[in-house]
Amino acid sequence: MNNSYSDRYKEAGVDITAGYEAVRQMKPLVERTFIPGVIGSLGGFGGLFAPDMVGISEPVLVSGTDGVGTKLKIAFLTDKHDTIGIDCVAMCVNDVVCAGAKPLFFLDYLAVGRNRPERVAAIVKGVTDGCLDAGCALVGGETAEMPGFYEENEYDLAGFCVGMADRAKITDCSTITDGDVIIGMASTGVHSNGFSLVRKILNVSEDNIFTHIDEFGRTLGEELLTPTRIYVRPVLEILKSVKIKGASHITGGGFYENIPRMLPDNIYAEVDSKALPVLPVFSYIAKVGNIDDREMYNTFNMGVGMAITVAPTDVDAALAAIKGFGIPAAVLGVCRSGNSGVVIK
């Protein structure tokens, strides 16, 4: 590959030699995510993975894909790029684990206005950090240099994850009945949703991104760049001893859109808004934007990033498993007979 170059392509804005340098810098980062099952190394045309089927009677592949959204604008303004990849991984693996699946491997897609190898390596470092947290391998990806489509210092980042579950252990919302308990796991902040509204309300720009906000105890940029929490390990730990009937990753659409996705049509969720603290960032957004509670709970996670439904007899075991990972958790609500939906008190 050392003699591969194109002066005319470089004149058009695409430096393929910079791409080779980016791969060189990211290769050791990627390889630290390799888990048993990974075949080969970085650089092939496809990522190879041989899953371990031991103990699985009927394997089911579960896939998920997502991006980071306009949270990327915060990374551009702060010129900090080493955590945004965690968000990309989290948005995918948190969805996959809702089905009771263990994430196996991940691929990323990075499109840049200009290929700056050090920045690309920083972005990929975040992706590998997220994969390590989720226990999955980064087996490949794509970096596309697209001058004229993206601004020189801007990029887009998306990912794709594949996990596996035993069919008998897949979460089954049809088993949820009146009296089942909803447990909430705390978020770390806004995560990766609602940033178009956040940026508009807070008028986020280079003029205030480094401003210290007393309510946060840090700058606006630091608060908004807080990575999305990854819930894979606690959910998989719960599944070792407890039947999770339903799980919901609280993303865009907040409580009102996401919690009903784990409920059958004849059940609604009665939620206690005080079960877990509303994080300061949400109180600040509501105050500055003069947004009512209904809108806030229909847009943001409000301090709850993941919710699971279990039988009342399994609540203590589930809470103990979650807290073993240092994640605040509490009984968020209860399932009631009636039309599907959410009632927040």
Side-chain angles (χ1 to χ4, degrees):
M1 197 176 288
N2 291 336
N3 65 345
S4 175
Y5 64 90
S6 172
D7 291 335
R8 296 301 299 272
Y9 207 5
K10 187 174 182 178
E11 290 173 5
V14 177
D15 185 355
I16 59 176
T17 58
Y20 302 149
E21 173 60 19
V23 172
R24 186 191 69 79
Q25 292 191 30
M26 73 174 70
K27 186 174 181 179
L29 298 171
V30 173
E31 289 179 344
R32 69 188 180 131
T33 72
F34 286 1
I35 59 176
V38 175
I39 298 173
S41 186
L42 192 66
F45 289 97
L48 306 180
F49 193 91
D52 182 2
M53 303 291 191
V54 175
I56 299 179
S57 59
E58 190 176 358
V60 175
L61 295 178
V62 181
S63 60
T65 186
D66 210 336
V68 182
T70 61
K71 184 173 184 174
L72 291 171
K73 290 284 190 180
I74 313 301
F76 304 158
L77 286 169
T78 59
D79 195 26
K80 179 173 169 52
H81 309 282
D82 60 345
T83 62
I84 205 76
I86 298 174
D87 294 288
C88 186
V89 174
M91 295 304 293
C92 298
V93 298
N94 284 345
D95 282 354
V96 166
V97 82
C98 282
K102 173 180 171 54
L104 299 177
F105 59 85
F106 187 87
L107 294 96
D108 63 348
Y109 173 77
L110 175 63
V112 302
R114 180 180 176 187
N115 193 331
R116 300 180 184 272
E118 292 78 14
R119 186 176 61 187
V120 170
I123 295 167
V124 173
K125 178 187 179 298
V127 175
T128 61
D129 286 344
C131 287
L132 288 169
D133 191 352
C136 65
L138 178 59
V139 296
E142 170 69 10
T143 301
E145 190 171 16
M146 301 171 64
F149 193 88
Y150 294 100
E151 296 294 330
E152 184 172 308
N153 291 314
E154 296 192 350
Y155 55 86
D156 197 9
L157 179 64
F160 174 80
C161 177
V162 172
M164 184 185 297
D166 194 332
R167 186 163 188 166
K169 297 181 180 179
I170 292 175
T171 55
D172 181 7
C173 70
S174 68
T175 65
I176 294 175
T177 62
D178 185 281
D180 281 340
V181 177
I182 301 170
I183 294 174
M185 303 183 211
S187 71
T188 54
V190 184
H191 282 184
S192 299
N193 303 101
F195 270 85
S196 294
L197 181 59
V198 170
R199 291 186 301 108
K200 180 179 180 180
I201 289 171
L202 303 185
N203 193 28
V204 178
S205 70
E206 59 185 10
D207 295 327
N208 64 3
I209 196 67
F210 296 109
T211 300
H212 184 275
I213 307 296
D214 290 341
E215 288 89 337
F216 307 155
R218 52 183 172 174
T219 68
L220 177 63
E222 288 170 335
E223 176 64 34
L224 296 181
L225 271 184
T226 303
T228 304
R229 173 167 272 151
I230 292 175
Y231 299 97
V232 170
R233 291 183 296 162
V235 171
L236 294 180
E237 184 65 25
I238 293 168
L239 284 168
K240 292 178 181 179
S241 58
V242 169
K243 171 66 176 176
I244 295 178
K245 297 186 175 186
S248 176
H249 182 200
I250 312 299
T251 56
F255 283 37
Y256 286 102
E257 178 178 325
N258 291 290
I259 290 181
R261 294 170 67 180
M262 70 169 174
L263 302 175
D265 292 339
N266 61 334
I267 295 290
Y268 73 92
E270 191 175 273
V271 171
D272 178 5
S273 62
K274 299 180 178 61
L276 283 168
V278 173
L279 300 177
V281 66
F282 298 115
S283 300
Y284 186 80
I285 291 168
K287 179 180 70 174
V288 174
N290 191 28
I291 305 176
D292 62 33
D293 285 350
R294 180 62 172 73
E295 286 282 347
M296 291 296 295
Y297 279 92
N298 208 156
T299 306
F300 302 107
N301 67 64
M302 299 302 287
V304 182
M306 176 71 73
I308 63 170
T309 301
V310 299
T313 52
D314 290 328
V315 170
D316 290 344
L319 286 172
I322 299 165
K323 291 177 180 177
F325 292 90
I327 299 175
V331 171
L332 183 65
V334 65
C335 297
R336 297 298 188 195
S337 296
N339 294 330
S340 180
V342 178
V343 174
I344 299 177
K345 297 183 176 181

